[in-house]
Amino acid sequence: MRAGRLDRRITIQRFTTTYSPSGEPIKTWTDLVSRRWAEVRPLRGDERFDTPQLVAKQQVEFRIRWGRAVADVNPRDRIVYPAVQPGSPAEEIDEARLYDILAVHEIGRRDGLRIIAARRVDGVPAT
């Protein structure tokens, strides 16, 4: 994996449940890795009518170096691209930056990960 191609920053988030002091479950997205270097390759776009509206999807391939922190990335996680600065409020992450992970493939023997992700261009998370 060539370092020169890793020229973008992404954040990988995982959906977690924590509990308030009163015991009430709080469901939120937490950063698995923040501002990780990645290569971004557009794959394809798609536009179709789906239940009385036009839906557009954009599929992207992210390539990152393998590491223990990302070894278990899976389709239940999501990617924020471009990544926001650490400590930024959650409101700064708009829907246009969220990519749902579709598949994760290991490159070589722990050299890197190839992550296929999609987002709905109209701002609604992909299904």
Side-chain angles (χ1 to χ4, degrees):
M1 196 170 237
R2 298 185 59 192
R5 294 186 180 175
L6 304 176
D7 62 348
R8 308 285 186 208
R9 295 281 192 154
I10 65 171
T11 298
I12 301 174
Q13 296 183 330
R14 178 159 289 162
F15 193 71
T16 58
T17 302
T18 57
Y19 295 92
S20 68
S22 65
E24 179 182 353
I26 301 169
K27 297 181 179 189
T28 186
W29 289 94
T30 56
D31 291 352
L32 189 61
V33 291
S34 181
R35 299 185 47 78
R36 183 120 181 169
W37 288 107
E39 176 184 357
V40 180
R41 296 180 177 179
L43 293 179
R44 66 180 189 155
D46 185 295
E47 196 174 76
R48 40 180 98 169
F49 283 100
D50 183 25
T51 328
Q53 64 185 17
L54 182 65
V55 176
K57 286 187 182 179
Q58 177 188 24
Q59 225 177 51
V60 175
E61 174 185 326
F62 296 96
R63 288 182 178 231
I64 60 173
R65 290 195 186 279
W66 188 92
R68 292 195 189 281
V70 296
D72 64 341
V73 170
N74 60 66
R76 292 184 305 244
D77 302 329
R78 73 180 183 184
I79 292 177
V80 179
Y81 170 72
V84 294
Q85 294 294 331
S88 297
E91 299 82 38
E92 191 173 312
I93 301 173
D94 59 355
E95 294 293 321
R97 293 179 172 200
L98 300 179
Y99 290 80
D100 294 322
I101 296 175
L102 303 176
V104 180
H105 307 284
E106 189 172 346
I107 300 170
R109 182 154 174 82
R110 294 186 173 178
D111 288 332
L113 293 176
R114 178 178 179 249
I115 303 170
I116 307 298
R119 75 177 176 104
R120 286 185 49 172
V121 180
D122 58 356
V124 180
T127 55

